[in-house]
Amino acid sequence: MRQEGDMGNTELDFTIERLGECHIPSPVKGIRFVDDDGRVLYHSHLQEMKPWLDEGIHPPAMEAAGPREKVFFDPSRIACGIVTCGGICPGLNDVIRSIVLSLCHHYCVQKIYGFRFGYEGLVQRYGHKPLELTADSVAQIHEIGGTILGSSRGPQEPSEMVKTLEDLNVGILFTIGGDGTQRGAQKIAEEATRRGLEISVIGIPKTIDNDISYIQATFGFETAVAEARRATYAAHTEADAARNSISLVKLMGRDSGFIAAYSVLVNSHVNFCLVPEARFTLDGLLRALKERLERRGHAVVVVAEGAGQNLMEATAERDASGNIKYGDIGIFLRDAIRDYFRKASLEINLKYIDPSYIIRSMPANPHDAAFCLLLGQSAVHAGMSGRTNMVVSFWNREFTHVPITLAVSQRKKIDTSSMLWNSVLAVTGQPDMM
């Protein structure tokens, strides 16, 4: 299964860094161990693998995740740390809980720190005292949204963060966050290596937009789509109840429109889906919207937050994570639609819905909760085996390991020639080019 978008995967190096050889028998009992040679194919179609097969070499493959028979760290002698960074997302507490329970019950690790308020918690001058996490303290946290550790945006000095880890004897740091967080994790791993410290840094990719490269699914995405469905259902109900009614729904998706696209497919109530990957003109959209009203009397429009940025005044401002501050496309379209139909002397009923922060704060649904559990366990197994500078991935329905370098190489985006986008066009009936 090829990643959405143009990845140019002619040469892929999925080699995972390791701190050293594993000599300690694993304390994990009663489960099947994964061989170090286990691999998950990157491609899923024979035709895609043909160039490598024709040359008699192995096609690209990711290292399989899972428990190893021997581990690098002595569980009785190390501490572990967990940090959550960036915006909140369904499933954060589930991942924290999974990591803690696996460390406690599978490996009998005695000391687990929860660093407060993102990477600030790893910098001593901020004064954020870490939480000491136990199996009892995380027993019920999966039932609530957000993160018990708090979060923040923005980079911190790697040398200061590594000093904190060294002072606390932390052997494994689990970084839960998006591409900015994982870039920070990469710098922490590199600084630890430069100092000659045996510190494993394992990333668990967190992005509600599902836009991290070489990872087919990130936790929280399915919950987000399920909650977005409530918004599109309400939007359709409102639009269908009044003459010449338009419902406009803004969803998450800075650079990738996966939530918007899948929200269209779950109930077929949406008539226009606007995503960052497919440019549109304001005139084209408004004319198509007018034609829809004339034909059917109502319309539902879903727009991802990063869509249509070329229609608004550009800004050079950036947030604490280094992301360009986007204009509010929802408000922009709301006002543009009102102005257009007022000038056309056509009375409309316009409803604007932005459920973004409601969606972000929800607890994980059952599927995401199970997914978080397996991600957390896979991260623990990777860390205990001495792997570092990597993220846990999900690829071809298997949990795998991916170097951070590849994961943050570029944003995963919808391929507008793919079956996914073709299905969106078929369901909405919108013009391919507006």
Side-chain angles (χ1 to χ4, degrees):
M1 183 180 296
R2 188 178 294 274
Q3 173 158 335
E4 288 279 4
D6 180 17
M7 296 302 301
N9 347 289
T10 53
E11 294 184 16
L12 290 174
D13 184 2
F14 289 111
T15 304
I16 301 298
E17 293 180 32
R18 299 175 65 173
L19 297 175
E21 293 298 316
C22 296
H23 299 293
I24 301 171
S26 172
V28 180
K29 305 297 181 185
I31 62 173
R32 179 181 65 85
F33 291 109
V34 174
D35 193 282
D36 272 346
D37 294 329
R39 294 293 184 273
V40 176
L41 287 171
Y42 174 74
H43 299 103
S44 58
H45 295 155
L46 181 60
Q47 185 178 5
E48 294 175 324
M49 291 184 277
K50 198 171 185 302
W52 288 272
L53 298 177
D54 287 346
E55 294 185 24
I57 57 178
H58 291 299
M62 300 176 180
E63 188 176 83
R68 267 52 181 183
E69 194 167 2
K70 291 188 176 180
V71 297
F72 178 80
F73 289 106
D74 180 347
S76 67
R77 299 181 61 184
I78 67 162
C80 295
I82 306 172
V83 63
T84 57
C85 305
I88 64 172
C89 167
L92 277 167
N93 282 333
D94 298 72
V95 174
I96 295 168
R97 179 175 183 268
S98 174
I99 292 171
V100 173
L101 293 182
S102 185
L103 288 170
C104 290
H105 297 318
H106 295 154
Y107 291 97
C108 302
V109 172
Q110 299 299 309
K111 185 71 73 174
I112 307 168
Y113 295 105
F115 294 104
R116 305 297 313 280
F117 305 114
Y119 282 142
E120 286 185 9
L122 285 162
V123 178
Q124 294 176 13
R125 56 187 165 82
Y126 283 104
H128 303 316
K129 185 178 179 181
L131 299 178
E132 291 199 18
L133 302 175
T134 65
D136 287 341
S137 70
V138 302
Q140 305 298 323
I141 65 172
H142 61 301
E143 298 176 2
I144 58 176
T147 164
I148 62 164
L149 300 181
S151 187
S152 69
R153 296 185 182 274
Q156 301 296 334
E157 178 57 45
S159 61
E160 293 184 82
M161 294 190 284
V162 171
K163 182 182 186 305
T164 299
L165 298 176
E166 184 179 17
D167 290 348
L168 294 174
N169 192 36
V170 170
I172 309 172
L173 175 66
F174 299 97
T175 60
I176 309 172
D179 58 349
T181 302
Q182 304 313 332
R183 286 191 180 92
Q186 185 176 28
K187 291 179 180 178
I188 292 172
E190 291 169 350
E191 176 66 14
T193 299
R194 189 186 68 79
R195 294 191 186 190
L197 300 174
E198 293 180 340
I199 297 177
S200 166
V201 181
I202 306 295
I204 298 93
K206 177 230 63 165
T207 164
I208 204 168
D209 295 344
N210 195 31
D211 61 357
I212 296 183
S213 294
Y214 303 100
I215 297 167
Q216 284 177 337
T218 51
F219 73 87
F221 174 72
E222 181 161 312
T223 303
V225 172
E227 293 302 317
R229 181 185 185 182
R230 296 176 183 267
T232 58
Y233 176 84
H236 177 260
T237 301
E238 286 284 353
D240 197 36
R243 181 175 56 85
N244 286 341
S245 185
I246 300 171
S247 287
L248 173 63
V249 181
K250 186 180 82 170
L251 296 174
M252 296 80 68
R254 279 185 51 85
D255 300 293
S256 307
F258 289 104
I259 292 178
Y262 277 94
S263 74
V264 168
L265 302 181
V266 295
N267 59 21
S268 303
H269 287 159
V270 178
N271 311 116
F272 297 91
C273 180
L274 310 175
V275 297
E277 297 89 339
R279 282 204 167 196
F280 62 94
T281 67
L282 183 59
D283 183 61
L285 171 64
L286 294 173
R287 282 191 286 107
L289 194 53
K290 185 172 183 288
E291 291 171 5
R292 164 75 190 185
L293 288 187
E294 291 170 347
R295 188 173 70 253
R296 298 297 301 273
H298 69 277
V300 176
V301 182
V302 164
V303 58
E305 63 183 304
Q309 293 300 309
N310 59 301
L311 305 177
M312 296 176 286
E313 186 176 348
T315 174
E317 290 186 72
R318 293 181 179 270
D319 63 20
S321 296
N323 299 313
I324 294 176
K325 288 186 177 180
Y326 284 171
D328 192 326
I329 186 62
I331 299 298
F332 175 83
L333 287 182
R334 182 199 66 184
D335 294 344
I337 291 169
R338 283 175 175 166
D339 290 345
Y340 176 80
F341 284 101
R342 183 173 63 249
K343 291 175 182 177
S345 299
L346 180 61
E347 183 182 352
I348 62 168
N349 291 284
L350 178 61
K351 302 294 191 304
Y352 176 57
I353 302 171
D354 181 356
S356 300
Y357 290 107
I358 295 173
I359 293 173
R360 291 180 188 278
S361 63
M362 294 297 296
N365 70 11
H367 181 277
D368 261 335
F371 188 51
C372 290
L373 176 79
L374 298 174
L375 275 173
Q377 289 181 352
S378 296
V380 169
H381 296 319
M384 290 302 301
S385 67
R387 284 156 173 82
T388 189
N389 205 3
M390 56 148 279
V391 297
V392 180
S393 173
F394 186 70
W395 196 261
N396 281 336
R397 305 194 67 79
E398 300 281 351
F399 289 91
T400 65
H401 301 156
V402 170
I404 291 179
T405 303
L406 281 182
V408 301
S409 59
Q410 58 183 295
R411 292 285 176 90
K412 182 175 68 174
K413 296 176 180 289
I414 294 174
D415 181 350
T416 53
S417 65
S418 67
M419 182 62 72
L420 169 61
W421 188 245
N422 285 338
S423 298
V424 169
L425 296 179
V427 168
T428 60
Q430 71 189 57
D432 188 10
M433 297 293 291
M434 287 187 292

